Amino acid sequence: MSRDFSHAAKQRRRSDQVTLSQVAEAAGVSPITASRALNHPEKVSERTRNSVLKAVEQLGYVPNLVAGSLASSRSKLIAVIVPSLINTVFVEVIKGLQETLEAEGYQILLGNTDYDLDREYQLVRTFLGWSCSALITAGLRHNQACQTLLNNWEHPIMEVMELGQGMDLNVGLDHVAAGRCMAKHLVDKGYRHIVYVGARMAQDYRAGMRYEGHQEMLQSNKIETPLIELDTLGSLQAGADSLTQVLTHYPHTQAIHFANDDLAAGALLAAQRQGLSVPNDIAIAGFNGLPLGQHVTPQLTTILSPREEMGRLAAKELIRRLSGKNVYRRQHDVGFTLQVGGST
Amino acid sequence: MSRDFSHAAKQRRRSDQVTLSQVAEAAGVSPITASRALNHPEKVSERTRNSVLKAVEQLGYVPNLVAGSLASSRSKLIAVIVPSLINTVFVEVIKGLQETLEAEGYQILLGNTDYDLDREYQLVRTFLGWSCSALITAGLRHNQACQTLLNNWEHPIMEVMELGQGMDLNVGLDHVAAGRCMAKHLVDKGYRHIVYVGARMAQDYRAGMRYEGHQEMLQSNKIETPLIELDTLGSLQAGADSLTQVLTHYPHTQAIHFANDDLAAGALLAAQRQGLSVPNDIAIAGFNGLPLGQHVTPQLTTILSPREEMGRLAAKELIRRLSGKNVYRRQHDVGFTLQVGGST
DNA sequence: CGCTGTCATGATAGCGCTACCATTCCTTTT
DNA sequence: AAAAGGAATGGTAGCGCTATCATGACAGCG
């Protein structure tokens, strides 16, 4: 079988797709009744509904959602904008979102900003052009143009990942508090020479917020807050490399507080290879609660963030809003859990 | 003879979004010229183009892509259907796709089948309704209804992940050969008691294909091919659990060939915790070439599949086809590489 | 018996944009 | 000088669907 696109019918009717009118004719009703039978089944008689469904089946009708959306200026599309797909964290949130949204018949229009706010603005523009019913975006920071555009938009906006006063709805967790929490754990354990290792925190600014919390806590304990910032994104390899870097710059380091589990696990595995004992020679802490952290020896001390849950909750709240129900709380704190392993 | 707009306007226009006509008016040209200025800039004079762009800027015009798509029966949407988002493999392919497609101005409409072919059919129906310019789907297997629907569809279809005669375009690798390759490696290393561990291979049938290759190779060497099939999806935890299961059922096992790296790494880390020596007590092999495999000790023997590259290549081929260029090869083998670590 | 209300259905008029063809005003060719 | 071609622009007519209002049928009520 070979496909030929070259002579694609140059007429006005470019496709020979079955239309709703044809269905209506076959069912012996008017187009508008056929439309109702499919979209508001409760508004037509059972007889009509059945004959329309039968015609749909027979003709192999596939609704033209583009036309439907134009006519109703509504669509079952939801825009999802994330800064990265390499970082599994966002993928897990997407998973939670998708699971819940697809069950309600929504489709996800996915955009990736690569941590670039101008790119985000472009994506938002495009997505608004698709008359999405809602927009979900990771984070509370946007550029000015994007902010303006969204403020004038008349559909729900959900900002996830971090907690705070956003434009509309918000589901997330307090990253400053998370950083503080882990720092407190390290201090409580008796560590006094603690290095924070982050990766591109200007972009992954939530890691920066955790560093802020870390600083707060250490400073209130009169402890120095050395920082190593990598300029690659977090990965096992980067974590492994950073271990050497830390030990070179700060030879007395007792504990490393990593911005995420990829870095931390990479460092932990590297320490093992180098014959360093964790936590005796060096303690290691992460953030996220990735499965990997539970499977290394010693288990990684980390902060568990409920990512899929965050996605599911965000989707549920959005659906409530979209179905016209009152939304009582505009902000949801999904919290986090300190998970102490053997690595600290 | 003037028409009464005040009445009509009140009736229908639900949003006060700026339209192309308003832009045209502000720029002092006809709507169609404004449309051209934005979509085929080379077809209008520079003066016109500039005044239109200025008007767009001033009015904050955001093109209604739904209307545009309906009128032109084209859209810059590309449907991507994958069986899972938990499995990082698909996410990496998506990443490669997205990177390339977004650069060309396409948007991704993402669907997740959860390894259910009926769900796939539903998603395809919906996506066709959005007049996507192309469809990308993971795998060559579809149900009958889906097959029929797609055969009558007049846009490019790209099937990725596995190599074979598909409906249209195809970018993938030969999973049977990959299974054979790893099995050969294990045999060459001298192992004679080899267990294959897969997870839900009825659904993740590509793992099943690798098992076929594995069987072929072992049988031609007169070696038994015991199989353990888990009924959870691949994960570190499942891999860890399966280790016990293998050693209970087949105490003489020398090597385990895992369907993927998550399972293999999980088993490797579990072996370490249990004080088993890898590969002396038990050899472990995986599939995928996940970064994790390189960071454990010993390094995991695995088969590296170029996943992002697969996504990028698929996207590039699709774009070639969409821009009307001839596509010489309909099938692309991205190959795989045996990566021998210390685990075998 | 008219009046009102409810239910099922239909006629009409767009949603905001672009394909198609026509028009205008040049420049180039013979 | 007339014909032909080209570049820029515009008028018209939809794309396939649904919102809105209109209609007809029939039940319940005083």
Side-chain angles (χ1 to χ4, degrees):
Chain A
M1 197 210 89
S2 116
R3 300 178 146 254
D4 182 8
F5 300 95
S6 55
H7 72 290
K10 268 280 179 177
Q11 291 295 332
R12 199 64 224 266
R13 291 231 35 236
R14 277 148 299 229
S15 77
D16 44 10
Q17 210 194 305
V18 181
T19 70
L20 187 59
S21 297
Q22 292 173 39
V23 170
E25 199 179 353
V29 297
S30 74
I32 184 67
T33 299
S35 166
R36 269 193 285 254
L38 296 176
N39 299 314
H40 308 280
E42 76 286 357
K43 290 191 178 171
V44 300
S45 70
E46 201 184 324
R47 251 186 88 246
T48 307
R49 194 184 322 136
N50 288 338
S51 61
V52 170
L53 290 178
K54 206 178 116 207
V56 165
E57 185 73 19
Q58 274 177 353
L59 300 174
Y61 171 67
V62 176
N64 184 327
L65 300 174
V66 178
S69 298
L70 180 59
S72 65
S73 70
R74 273 187 279 105
S75 82
K76 282 278 209 172
L77 287 180
I78 291 190
V80 175
I81 298 181
V82 295
S84 161
L85 286 174
I86 315 180
N87 195 329
T88 55
V89 167
F90 298 107
V91 177
E92 291 172 272
V93 175
I94 293 175
K95 210 193 150 290
L97 288 170
Q98 194 182 52
E99 198 178 295
T100 315
L101 294 176
E102 277 194 6
E104 296 283 325
Y106 289 95
Q107 294 312 131
I108 285 186
L109 207 49
L110 184 66
N112 178 354
T113 68
D114 269 318
Y115 289 103
D116 176 350
L117 294 184
D118 294 335
R119 178 95 194 94
E120 182 188 47
Y121 169 63
Q122 287 305 330
L123 284 170
V124 167
R125 261 179 70 98
T126 308
F127 289 165
L128 296 203
W130 280 109
S131 17
C132 293
S133 342
L135 180 104
I136 302 172
T137 175
L140 294 164
R141 302 193 187 170
H142 315 287
N143 71 19
Q144 188 51 54
C146 187
Q147 199 82 248
T148 311
L149 198 57
L150 288 178
N151 276 332
N152 295 324
W153 199 47
E154 48 200 9
H155 293 272
I157 296 165
M158 168 66 79
E159 292 163 286
V160 293
M161 303 305 290
E162 69 192 282
L163 195 68
Q165 185 57 55
M167 281 182 288
D168 187 8
L169 299 167
N170 173 237
V171 170
L173 59 92
D174 182 339
H175 287 261
V176 177
R180 213 185 287 129
C181 170
M182 180 59 84
K184 179 166 189 311
H185 165 75
L186 294 173
V187 172
D188 288 352
K189 275 277 181 174
Y191 299 110
R192 289 300 175 267
H193 295 280
I194 307 172
V195 176
Y196 189 93
V197 175
R200 294 215 182 160
M201 297 200 295
Q203 302 175 316
D204 181 7
Y205 65 84
R206 281 172 287 273
M209 295 168 81
R210 297 194 289 275
Y211 177 54
E212 280 172 38
H214 170 93
Q215 277 183 303
E216 266 179 41
M217 180 55 63
L218 294 200
Q219 279 166 3
S220 75
N221 283 276
K222 309 269 194 287
I223 300 175
E224 296 283 301
T225 58
L227 169 71
I228 296 258
E229 184 160 6
L230 312 173
D231 73 341
T232 56
L233 286 170
S235 66
L236 292 173
Q237 187 58 54
D241 297 344
S242 73
L243 180 63
T244 318
Q245 213 175 324
V246 169
L247 294 178
T248 309
H249 285 64
Y250 305 101
H252 301 300
T253 305
Q254 299 167 319
I256 311 180
H257 182 177
F258 284 95
N260 61 53
D261 278 4
D262 294 283
L263 291 170
L268 197 152
L269 292 166
Q272 279 182 346
R273 286 197 297 276
Q274 293 170 28
L276 288 171
S277 160
V278 176
N280 297 330
D281 297 330
I282 188 100
I284 290 178
F287 174 82
N288 267 339
L290 295 189
L292 173 54
Q294 318 286 78
H295 285 266
V296 291
T297 318
Q299 284 191 4
L300 186 63
T301 294
T302 187
I303 283 181
L304 201 96
S305 61
R307 296 175 296 282
E308 273 196 48
E309 179 51 28
M310 187 152 49
R312 275 193 295 269
L313 180 58
K316 266 187 231 155
E317 283 297 296
L318 213 45
I319 287 167
R320 271 176 47 156
R321 164 69 71 85
L322 286 169
S323 55
K325 297 206 187 80
N326 281 336
V327 172
Y328 304 107
R329 299 168 56 203
R330 303 164 76 86
Q331 241 181 72
H332 285 260
D333 187 350
V334 293
F336 54 82
T337 319
L338 174 68
Q339 194 160 52
V340 179
S343 73
T344 50
Chain B
M1 43 171 274
S2 84
R3 288 204 282 161
D4 183 3
F5 283 111
S6 58
H7 193 70
K10 180 184 177 180
Q11 242 181 30
R12 225 22 224 239
R13 296 230 27 240
R14 276 153 299 239
S15 78
D16 44 10
Q17 208 195 302
V18 181
T19 70
L20 187 57
S21 297
Q22 293 173 38
V23 170
E25 199 180 352
V29 297
S30 74
I32 183 68
T33 300
S35 166
R36 271 193 285 256
L38 295 176
N39 299 315
H40 309 280
E42 77 287 356
K43 290 191 178 170
V44 299
S45 70
E46 200 184 325
R47 249 186 90 246
T48 306
R49 194 183 322 134
N50 289 337
S51 62
V52 170
L53 290 177
K54 206 178 116 207
V56 165
E57 184 73 18
Q58 274 179 352
L59 299 173
Y61 171 67
V62 175
N64 184 328
L65 300 173
V66 178
S69 299
L70 179 59
S72 65
S73 71
R74 274 187 280 102
S75 82
K76 282 279 209 168
L77 286 181
I78 292 191
V80 175
I81 298 181
V82 295
S84 161
L85 285 175
I86 315 183
N87 195 329
T88 55
V89 167
F90 298 108
V91 177
E92 292 172 271
V93 176
I94 292 175
K95 209 192 153 292
L97 288 170
Q98 195 182 51
E99 198 179 294
T100 314
L101 293 176
E102 277 194 7
E104 296 282 327
Y106 289 95
Q107 295 312 131
I108 284 187
L109 208 48
L110 183 66
N112 177 354
T113 68
D114 270 318
Y115 289 103
D116 176 349
L117 294 184
D118 294 335
R119 179 93 193 96
E120 181 188 46
Y121 169 63
Q122 288 305 331
L123 284 170
V124 168
R125 261 179 70 97
T126 308
F127 289 164
L128 297 203
W130 281 109
S131 21
C132 292
S133 346
L135 180 103
I136 301 173
T137 174
L140 294 164
R141 300 192 188 169
H142 314 287
N143 71 19
Q144 188 52 55
C146 187
Q147 199 82 248
T148 311
L149 197 58
L150 288 178
N151 276 333
N152 295 323
W153 198 48
E154 47 200 10
H155 293 273
I157 296 164
M158 168 66 80
E159 291 163 287
V160 293
M161 302 306 289
E162 68 192 283
L163 194 69
Q165 184 57 55
M167 282 181 289
D168 188 10
L169 299 167
N170 174 237
V171 170
L173 59 93
D174 182 339
H175 287 262
V176 177
R180 214 185 285 128
C181 169
M182 180 58 84
K184 179 166 188 312
H185 165 75
L186 294 173
V187 172
D188 289 352
K189 275 278 181 174
Y191 299 110
R192 289 300 174 269
H193 296 281
I194 307 173
V195 177
Y196 189 92
V197 175
R200 294 216 182 160
M201 297 200 295
Q203 301 176 315
D204 181 6
Y205 64 86
R206 282 172 288 272
M209 295 169 81
R210 297 194 289 276
Y211 177 56
E212 280 172 38
H214 170 93
Q215 278 183 303
E216 267 180 40
M217 179 54 63
L218 294 200
Q219 280 166 4
S220 75
N221 283 276
K222 309 269 193 288
I223 299 176
E224 297 282 302
T225 57
L227 168 71
I228 296 258
E229 185 161 6
L230 312 174
D231 73 341
T232 56
L233 286 171
S235 67
L236 291 172
Q237 188 58 53
D241 296 345
S242 74
L243 180 63
T244 318
Q245 212 176 325
V246 169
L247 295 177
T248 308
H249 285 64
Y250 306 102
H252 301 300
T253 306
Q254 300 168 320
I256 312 180
H257 181 177
F258 284 94
N260 61 54
D261 278 2
D262 295 282
L263 291 170
L268 197 152
L269 292 168
Q272 280 183 344
R273 286 197 296 277
Q274 293 170 28
L276 289 170
S277 159
V278 177
N280 297 331
D281 296 330
I282 188 100
I284 290 177
F287 174 83
N288 268 336
L290 295 189
L292 174 54
Q294 319 286 80
H295 286 265
V296 291
T297 319
Q299 282 190 4
L300 186 64
T301 294
T302 187
I303 283 181
L304 201 95
S305 61
R307 296 175 296 282
E308 272 196 50
E309 178 51 30
M310 187 153 48
R312 274 193 295 269
L313 180 59
K316 267 187 231 153
E317 283 297 295
L318 213 46
I319 286 166
R320 272 176 47 157
R321 166 68 75 81
L322 286 170
S323 54
K325 297 205 187 80
N326 281 336
V327 173
Y328 303 107
R329 300 168 55 204
R330 305 164 76 86
Q331 242 181 71
H332 284 260
D333 186 350
V334 293
F336 54 81
T337 320
L338 175 67
Q339 193 160 53
V340 180
S343 74
T344 51

